[in-house]
Amino acid sequence: GGVSKVVMRGTKSIMQSSNALYVVDGVPMYSNANKVNGTEFSSKGNTEPIADINPEDIESMSVLKGASAAALYGSRAGNGVILITTKKGVEGKPRITYEGSYSVQKRYSYGMNRLNSQEYMNMVNLFGKENYLFINEQYPYGNVGYDGKWTPVFTSEQIANATTTDWLSYVLKTGQVNNQNLTVSGGSKTLRYYLGLNYYDEDGVVRNAGMQRYSLRTSISAQLFSFLKLTTIANLNHNKYSNSTVGGDTGNQGNSAAGSLYTAMNYPPYLAMYDNMGEYTIFGREPNPLAALEIRDESKQSSYYVNFALDIDIIKNMLSAKLLYGVNKENGKRSAYIPKDVYWGLVRKSRGSLGYNERQYETMEGTLSFRHKFWNMIDVNAVAGMGRYLDKGTGMTVSYQNANDMINDSNLAAADGPFSPTSYKYENEKRSQFLRASFDVLDRYVLTATLRR
């Protein structure tokens, strides 16, 4: 469920670190920014357009860049274009296909052998003494002999009685992937259909990391008249994400807001889970790995995509027209919460963020295509068209503090605050006219011209 990034060599994305444009069945798709802008949390929960598509529904993928991409999609194609064509129904009897898989995933034993408590404590003492000798310029870092005043951090009794806590064993586990697909397709000369259902459930090897996806995709193609064909495509999906804390920095707070995996690899093995007061132990600025596991960070996204296309034969095998309308609407929610007994960001205090967003992208295009071979020498292929592209969205986030752990985001009014609300709203529209023509002379010389406004 992680965010993918596709960078094409030779595009401006190498410098700008931007992603390619995804076009699914002729309709551009844009990344959804499902973010919470609270000061305590990073911008997790972002999803890519392909996260809404079941791979089993994909018929083919191709890549465009340079002049060919710009000719079709203008300035939006500066980072390259990935064209995705989904499966359609084929003529024939109903065909039902089921494919299911269940996989187990385990962490790779990457050979990093962590010190046990005795080894760790002895190493701390050794470093402490060497550092004392260096600072005081005593032998072997100077000509003065050791004065015998250094005091070890750990006594021999503490070292002998220390127990070892394997922090990684509490953070890492065996994960699984459950993927189930069912498709139904078929049709006649005048009507073809395709239906795809998918359930995908992944439980990661880091605790609290997971993703679930439910998706339904349909495609119906009807030959209404000899010169007129209608194709409709619909995709519905619902995604749920458990955003585990893993890195060494969250919300630009350094290691004081490090994740469970990072702290489990750095936390001293001699420390117990809890101190004498029953609270999670603390090591310097870093939170306890088990405490980091109590942070709840969940995202949900629901979306639908509908595409209508009319293909019109004006002069058979020479002149045709196509009208396309597509709409992609997404709704996202993210809730993140830190309980009051978790030491995070150098304090023990309950904090949370609750955010919603909504985005809609519409594509309307009309094209006229001409193809003919003159005098059996010059093959002319030309396309002229115009399009309108509308992108609009709205969203809000409320960050809050001092909430009851049992209530958290269920009733924000019950929190003592302070509260930090933010919101946004935007709308932009592009209109485009384009002309593309190629002339193939004697199957040897090719001239292509493109104009786009």
Side-chain angles (χ1 to χ4, degrees):
V3 176
S4 61
K5 177 170 287 293
V6 177
V7 178
M8 300 183 192
R9 191 186 310 182
T11 67
K12 67 181 182 180
S13 61
I14 296 294
M15 298 297 294
Q16 297 184 351
S17 188
S18 297
N19 221 338
L21 171 68
Y22 290 87
V23 178
V24 180
D25 294 320
V27 177
M29 312 288 281
Y30 281 79
S31 299
N32 172 55
N34 188 8
K35 298 180 180 179
V36 167
N37 297 319
T39 57
E40 303 291 340
F41 308 102
S42 62
S43 298
K44 286 187 179 179
N46 301 342
T47 58
E48 293 299 321
I50 53 175
D52 297 342
I53 300 176
N54 175 19
E56 290 296 323
D57 292 334
I58 295 177
E59 180 71 32
S60 65
M61 298 178 69
S62 56
V63 175
L64 295 178
K65 71 172 188 174
S68 57
L72 290 169
Y73 302 102
S75 60
R76 297 170 298 168
N79 299 316
V81 181
I82 298 177
L83 300 176
I84 297 177
T85 301
T86 60
K87 294 178 181 178
K88 311 292 190 300
V90 293
E91 184 178 346
K93 294 181 179 180
R95 179 185 176 93
I96 301 175
T97 304
Y98 167 76
E99 182 182 79
S101 67
Y102 181 86
S103 308
V104 175
Q105 51 187 8
K106 301 187 70 172
R107 71 180 178 101
Y108 178 68
S109 181
Y110 41 78
M112 186 180 70
N113 298 317
R114 303 186 75 245
L115 305 178
N116 61 31
S117 292
Q118 284 71 30
E119 293 169 333
Y120 184 95
M121 297 163 89
N122 283 322
M123 187 66 71
V124 169
N125 281 349
L126 175 61
F127 175 81
K129 185 174 183 180
E130 292 293 318
N131 195 45
Y132 177 85
L133 296 175
F134 177 79
I135 292 174
N136 293 281
E137 298 182 350
Q138 297 177 13
Y139 184 81
Y141 305 105
N143 297 323
V144 181
Y146 172 50
D147 59 11
K149 295 182 179 180
W150 170 75
T151 303
V153 177
F154 300 105
T155 65
S156 57
E157 183 180 3
Q158 288 176 316
I159 295 174
N161 296 328
T163 58
T164 299
T165 303
D166 183 6
W167 295 106
L168 279 173
S169 67
Y170 292 99
V171 173
L172 297 172
K173 61 178 176 59
T174 299
Q176 56 86 25
V177 179
N178 185 10
N179 191 19
Q180 308 295 325
N181 289 283
L182 177 66
T183 62
V184 181
S185 63
S188 61
K189 289 184 178 180
T190 58
L191 181 66
R192 300 178 182 181
Y193 58 88
Y194 175 89
L195 170 67
L197 297 169
N198 171 245
Y199 169 72
Y200 180 87
D201 180 21
E202 179 173 0
D203 188 20
V205 295
V206 178
R207 296 191 186 277
N208 300 337
M211 172 196 174
Q212 283 185 326
R213 178 180 64 222
Y214 306 85
S215 68
L216 180 149
R217 189 171 190 86
T218 63
S219 173
I220 299 176
S221 180
Q223 191 72 44
L224 303 178
F225 302 98
S226 60
F227 62 89
L228 182 63
K229 183 174 76 170
L230 172 65
T231 301
T232 63
I233 300 173
N235 186 85
L236 293 86
N237 78 284
H238 179 70
N239 295 355
K240 297 194 297 183
Y241 302 91
S242 296
N243 305 315
S244 179
T245 59
V246 294
D249 178 19
T250 303
N252 297 320
Q253 299 176 87
N255 63 353
S256 69
S260 58
L261 182 58
Y262 177 92
T263 54
M265 290 165 42
N266 290 312
Y267 222 66
Y270 69 86
L271 286 177
M273 301 179 192
Y274 306 97
D275 59 21
N276 295 331
M277 301 295 294
E279 296 181 328
Y280 289 113
T281 55
I282 299 172
F283 175 65
R285 292 165 45 91
E286 293 183 11
N288 186 295
L290 291 182
L293 288 175
E294 287 202 20
I295 297 174
R296 181 177 59 82
D297 189 352
E298 298 176 341
S299 302
K300 295 181 181 180
Q301 178 195 341
S302 298
S303 67
Y304 70 81
Y305 157 76
V306 182
N307 178 4
F308 300 93
L310 271 177
D311 291 284
I312 307 167
D313 277 336
I314 301 173
I315 302 177
K316 193 168 185 63
N317 298 325
M318 180 184 293
L319 186 64
S320 62
K322 183 171 187 173
L323 300 175
L324 173 69
Y325 174 76
V327 58
N328 180 26
K329 188 166 185 178
E330 302 170 338
N331 296 282
K333 172 188 175 182
R334 182 181 174 206
S335 177
Y337 184 76
I338 302 173
K340 64 181 179 181
D341 61 342
V342 173
Y343 183 79
W344 184 268
L346 304 180
V347 293
R348 278 191 171 99
K349 178 171 60 177
S350 65
R351 287 152 286 172
S353 286
L354 182 63
Y356 298 89
N357 63 51
E358 179 180 301
R359 185 173 187 177
Q360 180 169 316
Y361 190 82
E362 296 181 45
T363 297
M364 287 163 277
E365 283 186 345
T367 56
L368 194 63
S369 301
F370 173 83
R371 182 160 193 175
H372 188 66
K373 195 165 189 176
F374 294 91
W375 311 295
N376 209 30
M377 296 171 54
I378 305 174
D379 193 355
V380 179
N381 190 348
V383 177
M386 59 193 307
R388 176 177 179 266
Y389 315 95
L390 179 64
D391 183 15
K392 59 183 179 180
T394 183
M396 63 159 293
T397 299
V398 177
S399 298
Y400 57 97
Q401 298 182 15
N402 299 317
N404 185 293
D405 287 346
M406 298 300 295
I407 299 176
N408 52 71
D409 66 359
S410 299
N411 182 7
L412 298 189
D416 292 339
F419 300 91
S420 301
T422 60
S423 64
Y424 67 88
K425 186 177 184 179
Y426 73 91
E427 182 171 342
N428 67 67
E429 180 181 334
K430 292 183 178 69
R431 297 190 183 189
S432 179
Q433 300 85 41
F434 50 90
L435 173 64
R436 183 176 71 259
S438 67
F439 305 86
D440 186 341
V441 181
L442 299 174
D443 288 331
R444 178 171 297 188
Y445 307 103
V446 179
L447 173 66
T448 302
T450 301
L451 177 66
R452 189 177 187 101
R453 174 180 178 273

